[in-house]
Amino acid sequence: MTVTQVLSALGSWEFTLKTTTPPDLWDHIDYFGHVAFIPGRIDPQQYGDNLLTAARYVGVVRGRDTTGDDRRTKIVEQGYALNGVGMAMWLGDEDDKGSVYENAVEPASATFANTIRALLPASGAVTEGTLYSVPGTYSGRHQYESPRTAISYVCDTFSASCGAKVGWRVNGNGTLDAGPESDLYVTSPRCVISRKSAGKDTSGLESVPGAFGVTRDMEDYSTRVVLLAEGQGESIATGAADISPATPYKDVHGNPLKLTRLASESDTSVTNADTRAELLLSQYTSSQDEITVETDNFYIEGSFDVGDYVWVWDPGAGLVDPSNEITFRGERLNPIKLQITEARWPITEGYTVAYRAADGTWYDLTDHVEWDGSHTVYVTVGGWARALTNAGTEPVGSRPNSDTSVPGAPTFVEPFVGSAYLDGRGFTRARVVLSWIAPNNVDGSTVLDGDHFEIRWAIDTDMIYPATWSQVSQVRWQDLQTWAQPFAAPDGDWQTMFAAWGESTAQLQDLSPGVGYDVQIRAVDKAGNIGAWSPVTTFVASEDNIPPSTPAAPTVAASRIAVQVTHTLGKSSGGTYNLEADLHHLEVHVDYEPTFTPSETTLKAKASATSGMIQAGIPVVVTVPVEETSARYVRVIAVDITGNKSGPSDAATATALLIDDAHISDLTVSKVTAGTITASWVMAGEIKTADTGARARISADGIEVYNAGGTRTLYAEAATGDVSIVGQLFSGTTGRRIEINPTATYLPEIRFYPTNGSDYAFINAVGFDTYPSLGINGGQYDDSGVTVSPRLFLTDTVSLFEIIRADDQSTRGGFTRITRNIGDVGWTDGSSNANYMRFQNDGITRHYGRWKDFAAVDSNEGLFTGHFVINAGTGVAISYGPTMDSFMRPMVTVYDNILHTFGVTAESASSFSVDISPAGSGNWDLNFWVFRTS
């Protein structure tokens, strides 16, 4: 259960949830959500997205694991584990996946801030935070790389050109800060890591004790860097940089040591080549120092963060720099100044762990976290990578001569192969497989450096139009041009795709069936030479030849003269409203044999059935005129918008049971049997389910419901519309709802539930003996560890509007108290800090609490007091601090051991003056009240 933070890298984190974690809480946690670790215990739902900036660390969920046993007791229990990486992932992960620049981004003489803005992910995964000013400009080209790689390259380039290290960081809220490290991190150390005890001295320096592990070597030491930049063959641009001052090391013959490092960056421009060479050399002109410090989580938290610089002092390990001298608790130290590049710290009890879902909802995981029992923190300072991590990673060696040849135009191989298919929405679409022959260069030479093929296509306007209605019906609205001319000649609004060099086929999908398309192809080599487009080739996408699924059997009802057919647009394999979305209508066939074959003679009706009816769940209902009293069989066939027909459904049968008077010779009550009655009835008397016990009754009086004891629990009176209910009333069972009298164990009550959670606000009635009292209560929330809620309480003796504690109902916060004799307004939590005004029925106003002694005020304060001790003199001028919003009227008194005459000699909206006579006998006191007037 640790977090590993790495400077300008992804890092990692992991922790385990207890086996008692509610499964529904686990179900809310999804990949690429966010987990925040916040010191202290707070309510995530109360603070919301503010936690993204308040958290010590925010990570991205990439792993969700479940475990079967605890590996000790071997008891099978459900366990949960989460892991992931830091927010830098949104710029590009360890595999350089991310919002890769497929189209080149080419800043030209751009400032640092504008360069970084241009390189932010087009997906919006990381947005602009604070971009600090860096001297100089940048020109370059970035394509087929992630924003993390490009931004690191730019920061390194500016570091070399401006002489100060430039970096970047992704904040917890998904914003990017970039600029000099002095603006991003603490570069003037305020912390010393040594073997001394922990503590602070009067200068503000803080000491963090630790056990050191030191690694130093000269494996990557270099005296010169030669950088191969953009270009090919003899036109390759180069940059070079030499160590300065000269190396002190010698070879076996006493010659100055010469170790030249070669690096290749084909994307680096000529203007940046020397700068990049200087940057690369600067990383290899001294020993590689990596120091690992093992300390306690208690000491590191708040002392420094990854990226900050610290003092490191350990003479026994050679960690001494005579050029640096500091004093700590009276002792002179000569530490080295190093940057924190990595920190690994445990997730211990005392943190709040919260999960943020993709929709912005926060979930508290704190009570379910398996805390790490260790408090040990591992900190790495001064470590550098063993290879060029941000640039120069191309293999060094000979590169081919400059390529000036241009590929010719590929040749399509016709005819193309196509087919129709159903898309995810249930509509018929078409696909086609294109084939082509790769070209030679236009000069006849073989293309040896082919990179990719570019294919573009658009709707054709010449070949098949005017189109048939069935063809036009397949074209989506966004593919049409204007109402006056639905199909216009392609004018650049082509759709484009790419195929790798070496491929000879490509598949175009999501085409409109039966519609003509124009297509072209061209070749591009690795040097960026683009060949000409091939001639336009026109093809017709495959017709819609996919029939709908066989529909389920319909539901039918019959009379002597007609059959009513109802169909819920389901497939014969099961389900309702799941036929294909390109459905157009149903054919209704009726015959006298159960296995008849539908034909033109059996077709009785065509009923409209569309995708809108499927989406809205609207059944097809059609009445077919068939005059017959014997059994008839009905089958339906689904037909799509192109005219493709499904197989016939199974037959449904119906016999005329209810017919008109001409065919009824006699009607007695014996002809009404048990079952469903589908007819209009004239209500005479009453309808009831029983005479006693639990029953329902409908009569001219209204609707009544009784329980088993004979008590009438529901009565809707027909004459007045009055409704009485005995029992509980719910507007829903979950989510946002109202409940009236939710349980018999409480007083009369109405509860109001929010969309999420189990908390609720409520109104209840209290004390029905002689006077009905009323309470209105808001939901509960956390106030610095105390659960509180707002309440309005109305009784015959006192009315209160206050914030109360949940445990003892005492006031905690602002309140208003009203009785027949007094009215109080103010604040209290039951302590001596209570502060309120009292208005009595005898005309007296009283204040309980304290007035703040004047120091500085806000410009809109209406009344304040002050006290000043003045050193002798005959007067004093007092400033309010700000210029007040309107004129001020001071009232003053003078305290001294002699009597004075005094008065206010000047007053304004910003100050006032007081003169006394005679002069004060030493120090004298001025006390005053100030009122702001209109």
Side-chain angles (χ1 to χ4, degrees):
M1 277 68 80
T2 59
V3 172
T4 300
Q5 294 176 260
V6 183
L7 180 65
S8 298
L10 271 64
S12 64
W13 58 269
E14 61 178 355
F15 65 88
T16 302
L17 296 177
K18 298 176 182 177
T19 59
T20 56
T21 302
D24 60 338
L25 179 59
W26 175 254
D27 291 341
H28 285 300
I29 301 175
D30 201 358
Y31 298 110
F32 302 108
H34 295 80
V35 173
F37 304 97
I38 309 100
R41 189 67 177 94
I42 60 176
D43 180 7
Q45 291 187 349
Q46 180 179 353
Y47 291 92
D49 282 355
N50 291 324
L51 298 181
L52 295 175
T53 53
R56 180 179 180 185
Y57 181 85
V58 178
V60 183
V61 177
R62 291 205 310 186
R64 298 171 73 251
D65 301 324
T66 55
T67 57
D69 62 71
D70 60 6
R71 298 189 179 183
R72 293 179 292 110
T73 63
K74 300 303 180 182
I75 298 176
V76 177
E77 292 182 319
Q78 184 70 50
Y80 309 97
L82 293 173
N83 61 78
V85 294
M87 294 296 288
M89 190 211 78
W90 294 121
L91 287 180
D93 67 7
E94 61 272 29
D95 297 324
D96 219 27
K97 299 193 304 292
S99 186
V100 171
Y101 312 119
E102 296 187 40
N103 298 318
V105 179
E106 301 182 83
S109 300
T111 63
F112 174 78
N114 287 338
T115 301
I116 298 298
R117 288 190 186 101
L119 295 173
L120 287 173
S123 65
V126 177
T127 58
E128 179 179 338
T130 302
L131 302 180
Y132 298 95
S133 176
V134 178
T137 59
Y138 175 82
S139 297
R141 186 177 189 272
H142 297 275
Q143 188 174 16
Y144 304 125
E145 60 183 352
S146 70
R148 186 162 70 97
T149 300
I151 291 173
S152 297
Y153 180 98
V154 170
C155 289
D156 289 344
T157 302
F158 272 96
S159 296
S161 63
C162 72
K165 195 170 182 182
V166 178
W168 58 267
R169 67 184 176 203
V170 179
N171 303 311
N173 61 354
T175 58
L176 176 78
D177 296 343
E181 287 195 339
S182 57
D183 291 316
L184 299 178
Y185 308 111
V186 175
T187 54
S188 297
R190 59 191 183 197
C191 179
V192 181
I193 300 179
S194 67
R195 299 184 187 274
K196 290 183 169 292
S197 59
K200 292 185 177 180
D201 74 349
T202 56
S203 67
L205 277 175
E206 180 178 1
S207 176
V208 174
F212 289 87
V214 182
T215 302
R216 310 184 76 174
D217 61 63
M218 299 287 280
E219 293 178 8
D220 292 325
Y221 183 77
S222 304
T223 61
R224 176 177 170 83
V225 167
V226 176
L227 176 71
L228 308 181
E230 67 180 0
Q232 302 290 335
E234 296 179 356
S235 63
I236 292 178
T238 61
D242 291 287
I243 191 171
S244 179
T247 177
Y249 302 107
K250 308 289 184 180
D251 63 21
V252 66
H253 298 293
N255 302 311
L257 181 67
K258 185 173 183 179
L259 295 173
T260 300
R261 177 182 294 270
L262 295 179
S264 178
E265 293 183 353
S266 59
D267 288 339
T268 295
S269 63
V270 176
T271 56
N272 291 333
D274 287 336
T275 300
R276 294 292 298 175
E278 289 281 359
L279 171 65
L280 299 180
L281 179 63
S282 67
Q283 300 184 31
Y284 303 107
T285 56
S286 61
S287 64
Q288 296 291 327
D289 300 336
E290 182 173 329
I291 304 169
T292 303
V293 183
E294 183 178 339
T295 184
D296 194 281
N297 194 27
F298 172 79
Y299 297 115
I300 182 178
E301 188 172 331
S303 300
F304 53 79
D305 204 349
V306 172
D308 293 346
Y309 283 79
V310 296
W311 296 119
V312 180
W313 185 69
D314 186 3
L319 302 179
V320 178
D321 186 352
S323 63
N324 297 322
E325 183 175 293
I326 63 172
T327 303
F328 183 79
R329 292 183 175 177
E331 182 179 356
R332 294 182 182 273
L333 309 177
N334 298 103
I336 63 175
K337 179 180 176 181
L338 294 173
Q339 188 177 31
I340 304 294
T341 58
E342 182 176 339
R344 178 161 56 93
W345 44 273
I347 305 169
T348 56
E349 190 167 4
Y351 278 90
T352 294
V353 181
Y355 171 75
R356 182 184 185 272
D359 61 359
T361 304
W362 285 87
Y363 299 92
D364 194 349
L365 307 181
T366 309
D367 294 336
H368 310 290
V369 174
E370 292 279 7
W371 302 112
D372 197 322
S374 169
H375 289 266
T376 302
V377 178
Y378 297 90
V379 178
T380 299
V381 293
W384 291 96
R386 289 295 182 189
L388 302 176
T389 57
N390 294 324
T393 56
E394 297 176 356
V396 177
S398 61
R399 293 192 283 193
N401 290 331
S402 178
D403 180 6
T404 59
S405 61
V406 177
T411 302
F412 277 124
V413 178
E414 298 185 85
F416 301 144
V417 178
S419 63
Y421 68 96
L422 290 177
D423 66 10
R425 301 171 299 158
F427 287 99
T428 302
R429 307 300 292 165
R431 63 168 63 93
V432 65
V433 177
L434 307 177
S435 300
W436 63 86
I437 299 173
N440 291 327
N441 289 315
V442 293
D443 59 8
S445 62
T446 302
V447 178
L448 299 176
D449 60 345
D451 186 73
H452 65 274
F453 297 99
E454 185 176 349
I455 302 166
R456 68 179 184 180
W457 70 97
I459 292 178
D460 173 66
T461 61
D462 308 319
M463 180 179 176
I464 65 169
Y465 299 107
T468 65
W469 282 112
S470 62
Q471 290 169 331
V472 173
S473 66
Q474 298 294 322
V475 181
R476 297 173 301 183
W477 182 259
Q478 61 263 35
D479 293 331
L480 302 180
Q481 305 293 319
T482 67
W483 182 256
Q485 187 180 7
F487 301 103
D491 58 356
D493 293 333
W494 296 83
Q495 297 185 66
T496 304
M497 69 173 295
F498 298 91
W501 192 268
E503 298 290 336
S504 60
T505 61
Q507 181 173 261
L508 305 183
Q509 298 199 85
D510 199 28
L511 305 176
S512 298
V515 172
Y517 285 86
D518 293 337
V519 62
Q520 291 180 284
I521 185 172
R522 67 182 178 184
V524 182
D525 66 17
K526 294 184 182 299
N529 298 313
I530 301 175
W533 288 108
S534 68
V536 173
T537 300
T538 302
F539 67 92
V540 178
S542 299
E543 296 280 355
D544 180 2
N545 56 6
I546 303 176
S549 300
T550 300
T555 301
V556 297
S559 72
R560 179 185 177 279
I561 61 173
V563 174
Q564 185 182 67
V565 180
T566 303
H567 201 280
T568 53
L569 301 179
K571 298 178 181 179
S572 61
S573 57
T576 59
Y577 305 105
N578 60 359
L579 285 172
E580 286 73 16
D582 62 348
L583 185 65
H584 185 266
H585 67 271
L586 297 181
E587 290 185 354
V588 180
H589 293 262
V590 182
D591 202 8
Y592 305 100
E593 296 293 333
T595 59
F596 74 94
T597 299
S599 65
E600 289 297 326
T601 59
T602 62
L603 179 61
K604 300 301 180 183
K606 294 182 180 180
S608 176
T610 65
S611 60
M613 298 173 67
I614 295 174
Q615 293 173 4
I618 300 173
V620 172
V621 180
V622 60
T623 300
V624 180
V626 178
E627 187 172 357
E628 184 59 56
T629 58
S630 60
R632 279 148 295 177
Y633 298 90
V634 181
R635 306 179 80 175
V636 296
I637 294 175
V639 184
D640 66 17
I641 56 180
T642 308
N644 298 307
K645 295 184 179 182
S646 71
S649 70
D650 290 339
T653 183
T655 302
L657 298 178
L658 302 178
I659 57 178
D660 52 68
D661 291 345
H663 294 82
I664 300 177
S665 61
D666 181 43
L667 178 62
T668 65
V669 78
S670 63
K671 292 185 178 180
V672 181
T673 59
T676 301
I677 300 173
T678 55
S680 298
W681 290 71
V682 176
M683 185 182 300
E686 64 182 28
I687 297 175
K688 57 185 177 181
T689 60
D691 291 327
T692 61
R695 63 192 187 277
R697 175 176 177 266
I698 302 175
S699 67
D701 296 332
I703 300 174
E704 301 169 87
V705 178
Y706 294 81
N707 63 18
T711 301
R712 187 168 66 185
T713 56
L714 171 65
Y715 180 41
E717 187 175 359
T720 63
D722 294 342
V723 178
S724 64
I725 299 175
V726 177
Q728 304 172 23
L729 180 63
F730 303 87
S731 67
T733 57
T734 60
R736 185 173 56 189
R737 64 191 188 276
I738 298 175
E739 297 183 1
I740 301 177
N741 283 349
T743 173
T745 61
Y746 291 99
L747 296 166
E749 185 171 290
I750 302 175
R751 294 182 181 177
F752 302 86
Y753 287 83
T755 301
N756 297 306
S758 59
D759 197 11
Y760 57 88
F762 62 95
I763 302 173
N764 61 359
V766 186
F768 271 103
D769 295 337
T770 57
Y771 182 87
S773 302
L774 182 67
I776 302 177
N777 301 262
Q780 296 182 348
Y781 60 92
D782 180 78
D783 179 22
S784 301
V786 178
T787 302
V788 299
S789 64
R791 179 178 71 176
L792 176 61
F793 190 51
L794 309 176
T795 72
D796 57 337
T797 58
V798 63
S799 295
L800 295 170
F801 183 27
E802 58 186 341
I803 304 296
I804 63 169
R805 296 174 61 108
D807 51 2
D808 60 9
Q809 308 294 296
S810 63
T811 304
R812 179 185 172 88
F815 74 94
T816 300
R817 180 189 297 114
I818 303 172
T819 69
R820 188 178 62 83
N821 296 322
I822 65 169
D824 292 343
V825 179
W827 182 94
T828 183
D829 62 354
S831 68
S832 60
N833 290 327
N835 183 13
Y836 59 94
M837 298 291 296
R838 172 165 291 176
F839 304 91
Q840 301 179 178
N841 63 344
D842 57 6
I844 295 175
T845 300
R846 306 172 69 179
H847 173 256
Y848 296 85
R850 294 171 291 168
W851 293 93
K852 181 180 179 182
D853 196 13
F854 166 79
V857 295
D858 293 330
S859 63
N860 60 350
E861 290 195 38
L863 171 63
F864 53 89
T865 185
H867 169 82
F868 281 92
V869 178
I870 303 162
N871 184 15
T874 60
V876 65
I878 303 297
S879 172
Y880 302 135
T883 299
M884 307 302 287
D885 290 349
S886 60
F887 207 81
M888 307 302 294
R889 298 294 187 184
M891 300 176 60
V892 302
T893 62
V894 173
Y895 172 77
D896 201 358
N897 59 2
I898 62 174
L899 295 176
H900 297 274
T901 59
F902 61 89
V904 177
T905 58
E907 58 184 1
S908 69
S910 59
S911 63
F912 69 90
S913 299
V914 175
D915 290 343
I916 65 171
S917 180
S921 60
N923 291 342
W924 52 281
D925 294 359
L926 178 68
N927 302 302
F928 60 86
W929 290 84
V930 180
F931 297 81
R932 186 164 64 86
T933 62
S934 59

Short mmCIF file of all heavy atoms in Angstrom, two decimals, residues 165-194:
data_model
loop_
_atom_site.label_atom_id
_atom_site.label_comp_id
_atom_site.label_asym_id
_atom_site.label_seq_id
_atom_site.Cartn_x
_atom_site.Cartn_y
_atom_site.Cartn_z
N LYS A 165 17.22 25.48 -15.48
CA LYS A 165 16.48 24.25 -15.74
C LYS A 165 14.99 24.55 -15.86
O LYS A 165 14.39 25.23 -15.03
CB LYS A 165 16.72 23.24 -14.63
CG LYS A 165 16.29 21.83 -15.02
CD LYS A 165 16.77 20.81 -14.00
CE LYS A 165 16.36 19.41 -14.44
NZ LYS A 165 16.76 18.39 -13.45
N VAL A 166 14.36 24.03 -16.93
CA VAL A 166 12.93 24.24 -17.20
C VAL A 166 12.24 22.88 -17.10
O VAL A 166 12.76 21.87 -17.60
CB VAL A 166 12.72 24.84 -18.61
CG1 VAL A 166 11.23 25.01 -18.90
CG2 VAL A 166 13.44 26.18 -18.71
N GLY A 167 11.10 22.83 -16.47
CA GLY A 167 10.39 21.57 -16.29
C GLY A 167 8.90 21.72 -16.41
O GLY A 167 8.38 22.79 -16.76
N TRP A 168 8.19 20.64 -16.11
CA TRP A 168 6.73 20.63 -16.17
C TRP A 168 6.18 19.67 -15.13
O TRP A 168 6.90 18.82 -14.61
CB TRP A 168 6.23 20.19 -17.56
CG TRP A 168 6.71 18.83 -17.98
CD1 TRP A 168 7.82 18.55 -18.72
CD2 TRP A 168 6.10 17.55 -17.68
NE1 TRP A 168 7.95 17.19 -18.90
CE2 TRP A 168 6.91 16.55 -18.28
CE3 TRP A 168 4.98 17.16 -16.97
CZ2 TRP A 168 6.61 15.19 -18.18
CZ3 TRP A 168 4.66 15.81 -16.87
CH2 TRP A 168 5.47 14.85 -17.47
N ARG A 169 4.90 19.84 -14.82
CA ARG A 169 4.21 18.91 -13.92
C ARG A 169 2.73 18.94 -14.25
O ARG A 169 2.20 19.97 -14.69
CB ARG A 169 4.41 19.29 -12.45
CG ARG A 169 3.75 20.60 -12.05
CD ARG A 169 4.05 20.99 -10.63
NE ARG A 169 3.47 22.29 -10.30
CZ ARG A 169 3.90 23.08 -9.33
NH1 ARG A 169 4.93 22.71 -8.58
NH2 ARG A 169 3.30 24.24 -9.09
N VAL A 170 2.06 17.80 -14.06
CA VAL A 170 0.61 17.71 -14.23
C VAL A 170 -0.02 17.70 -12.84
O VAL A 170 0.31 16.84 -12.01
CB VAL A 170 0.20 16.45 -15.01
CG1 VAL A 170 -1.31 16.38 -15.14
CG2 VAL A 170 0.85 16.45 -16.38
N ASN A 171 -0.89 18.65 -12.58
CA ASN A 171 -1.53 18.78 -11.27
C ASN A 171 -2.67 17.78 -11.12
O ASN A 171 -3.13 17.17 -12.09
CB ASN A 171 -2.04 20.21 -11.07
CG ASN A 171 -0.94 21.23 -11.21
OD1 ASN A 171 0.12 21.09 -10.60
ND2 ASN A 171 -1.16 22.24 -12.02
N GLY A 172 -3.15 17.64 -9.89
CA GLY A 172 -4.22 16.70 -9.61
C GLY A 172 -5.50 16.99 -10.33
O GLY A 172 -6.32 16.09 -10.55
N ASN A 173 -5.74 18.25 -10.72
CA ASN A 173 -6.98 18.61 -11.44
C ASN A 173 -6.81 18.53 -12.95
O ASN A 173 -7.65 19.05 -13.69
CB ASN A 173 -7.43 20.00 -11.02
CG ASN A 173 -6.42 21.08 -11.35
OD1 ASN A 173 -5.31 20.78 -11.80
ND2 ASN A 173 -6.77 22.33 -11.12
N GLY A 174 -5.71 17.90 -13.43
CA GLY A 174 -5.54 17.70 -14.86
C GLY A 174 -5.06 18.92 -15.61
O GLY A 174 -5.27 19.02 -16.81
N THR A 175 -4.41 19.87 -14.91
CA THR A 175 -3.84 21.04 -15.58
C THR A 175 -2.32 20.90 -15.60
O THR A 175 -1.72 20.23 -14.75
CB THR A 175 -4.24 22.34 -14.86
OG1 THR A 175 -3.80 22.28 -13.48
CG2 THR A 175 -5.75 22.52 -14.89
N LEU A 176 -1.70 21.57 -16.56
CA LEU A 176 -0.25 21.49 -16.74
C LEU A 176 0.39 22.81 -16.35
O LEU A 176 0.01 23.87 -16.85
CB LEU A 176 0.09 21.16 -18.20
CG LEU A 176 1.58 21.15 -18.54
CD1 LEU A 176 2.22 19.86 -18.06
CD2 LEU A 176 1.81 21.33 -20.03
N ASP A 177 1.37 22.76 -15.44
CA ASP A 177 2.23 23.90 -15.14
C ASP A 177 3.58 23.64 -15.79
O ASP A 177 4.09 22.51 -15.77
CB ASP A 177 2.42 24.06 -13.62
CG ASP A 177 1.12 24.37 -12.90
OD1 ASP A 177 0.15 24.79 -13.58
OD2 ASP A 177 1.07 24.20 -11.68
N ALA A 178 4.16 24.68 -16.37
CA ALA A 178 5.47 24.52 -17.00
C ALA A 178 6.22 25.84 -16.90
O ALA A 178 5.62 26.93 -16.93
CB ALA A 178 5.32 24.10 -18.46
N GLY A 179 7.54 25.75 -16.79
CA GLY A 179 8.37 26.94 -16.70
C GLY A 179 9.64 26.64 -15.94
O GLY A 179 9.99 25.47 -15.70
N PRO A 180 10.39 27.67 -15.55
CA PRO A 180 11.62 27.45 -14.78
C PRO A 180 11.32 26.69 -13.50
O PRO A 180 10.28 26.89 -12.87
CB PRO A 180 12.10 28.88 -14.49
CG PRO A 180 11.46 29.72 -15.55
CD PRO A 180 10.15 29.08 -15.83
N GLU A 181 12.24 25.81 -13.10
CA GLU A 181 12.01 25.03 -11.89
C GLU A 181 11.90 25.92 -10.66
O GLU A 181 11.28 25.54 -9.67
CB GLU A 181 13.13 24.00 -11.71
CG GLU A 181 13.03 22.85 -12.69
CD GLU A 181 13.90 21.69 -12.28
OE1 GLU A 181 14.85 21.91 -11.49
OE2 GLU A 181 13.63 20.56 -12.74
N SER A 182 12.46 27.13 -10.72
CA SER A 182 12.34 28.04 -9.59
C SER A 182 10.90 28.48 -9.38
O SER A 182 10.53 28.91 -8.28
CB SER A 182 13.23 29.27 -9.81
OG SER A 182 12.88 29.92 -11.03
N ASP A 183 10.07 28.41 -10.42
CA ASP A 183 8.65 28.74 -10.29
C ASP A 183 7.81 27.51 -9.96
O ASP A 183 6.69 27.65 -9.45
CB ASP A 183 8.13 29.37 -11.58
CG ASP A 183 8.72 30.75 -11.84
OD1 ASP A 183 8.78 31.54 -10.88
OD2 ASP A 183 9.10 31.02 -12.98
N LEU A 184 8.31 26.32 -10.27
CA LEU A 184 7.52 25.10 -10.05
C LEU A 184 7.83 24.44 -8.71
O LEU A 184 6.94 23.84 -8.10
CB LEU A 184 7.80 24.09 -11.17
CG LEU A 184 7.46 24.52 -12.60
CD1 LEU A 184 7.86 23.41 -13.57
CD2 LEU A 184 5.98 24.84 -12.73
N TYR A 185 9.08 24.55 -8.25
CA TYR A 185 9.50 23.82 -7.07
C TYR A 185 10.28 24.74 -6.13
O TYR A 185 10.62 25.89 -6.48
CB TYR A 185 10.38 22.62 -7.45
CG TYR A 185 9.75 21.72 -8.49
CD1 TYR A 185 10.29 21.66 -9.78
CD2 TYR A 185 8.65 20.95 -8.19
CE1 TYR A 185 9.72 20.83 -10.74
CE2 TYR A 185 8.07 20.13 -9.14
CZ TYR A 185 8.60 20.08 -10.42
OH TYR A 185 8.04 19.27 -11.35
N VAL A 186 10.60 24.24 -4.94
CA VAL A 186 11.44 24.96 -3.98
C VAL A 186 12.89 24.75 -4.40
O VAL A 186 13.42 23.64 -4.32
CB VAL A 186 11.21 24.44 -2.56
CG1 VAL A 186 12.16 25.12 -1.58
CG2 VAL A 186 9.76 24.67 -2.13
N THR A 187 13.54 25.82 -4.88
CA THR A 187 14.93 25.71 -5.33
C THR A 187 15.91 26.29 -4.31
O THR A 187 17.12 26.08 -4.45
CB THR A 187 15.10 26.43 -6.68
OG1 THR A 187 14.63 27.78 -6.56
CG2 THR A 187 14.30 25.72 -7.76
N SER A 188 15.41 27.04 -3.33
CA SER A 188 16.26 27.48 -2.22
C SER A 188 15.95 26.56 -1.04
O SER A 188 14.91 26.71 -0.38
CB SER A 188 15.96 28.94 -1.84
OG SER A 188 16.28 29.80 -2.92
N PRO A 189 16.79 25.56 -0.80
CA PRO A 189 16.44 24.50 0.16
C PRO A 189 16.05 25.05 1.52
O PRO A 189 16.68 25.98 2.05
CB PRO A 189 17.71 23.65 0.24
CG PRO A 189 18.40 23.89 -1.06
CD PRO A 189 18.12 25.31 -1.40
N ARG A 190 15.02 24.48 2.09
CA ARG A 190 14.60 24.80 3.46
C ARG A 190 14.62 23.55 4.33
O ARG A 190 14.09 23.54 5.42
CB ARG A 190 13.21 25.41 3.44
CG ARG A 190 12.14 24.50 2.84
CD ARG A 190 10.86 25.22 2.60
NE ARG A 190 9.82 24.33 2.08
CZ ARG A 190 8.70 24.73 1.48
NH1 ARG A 190 8.49 26.02 1.32
NH2 ARG A 190 7.81 23.86 1.06
N CYS A 191 15.23 22.48 3.79
CA CYS A 191 15.28 21.21 4.51
C CYS A 191 16.67 20.61 4.37
O CYS A 191 17.28 20.67 3.30
CB CYS A 191 14.21 20.26 3.96
SG CYS A 191 14.19 18.64 4.77
N VAL A 192 17.20 20.04 5.47
CA VAL A 192 18.49 19.37 5.49
C VAL A 192 18.25 17.89 5.76
O VAL A 192 17.60 17.54 6.75
CB VAL A 192 19.41 19.95 6.57
CG1 VAL A 192 20.77 19.24 6.54
CG2 VAL A 192 19.59 21.44 6.36
N ILE A 193 18.75 17.02 4.87
CA ILE A 193 18.69 15.57 5.12
C ILE A 193 20.07 15.14 5.58
O ILE A 193 21.06 15.29 4.85
CB ILE A 193 18.28 14.80 3.85
CG1 ILE A 193 16.89 15.25 3.38
CG2 ILE A 193 18.27 13.31 4.12
CD1 ILE A 193 16.43 14.56 2.11
N SER A 194 20.14 14.65 6.78
CA SER A 194 21.43 14.27 7.37
C SER A 194 21.19 13.16 8.38
O SER A 194 20.07 12.70 8.56
CB SER A 194 22.09 15.48 8.04
OG SER A 194 21.33 15.88 9.18
#
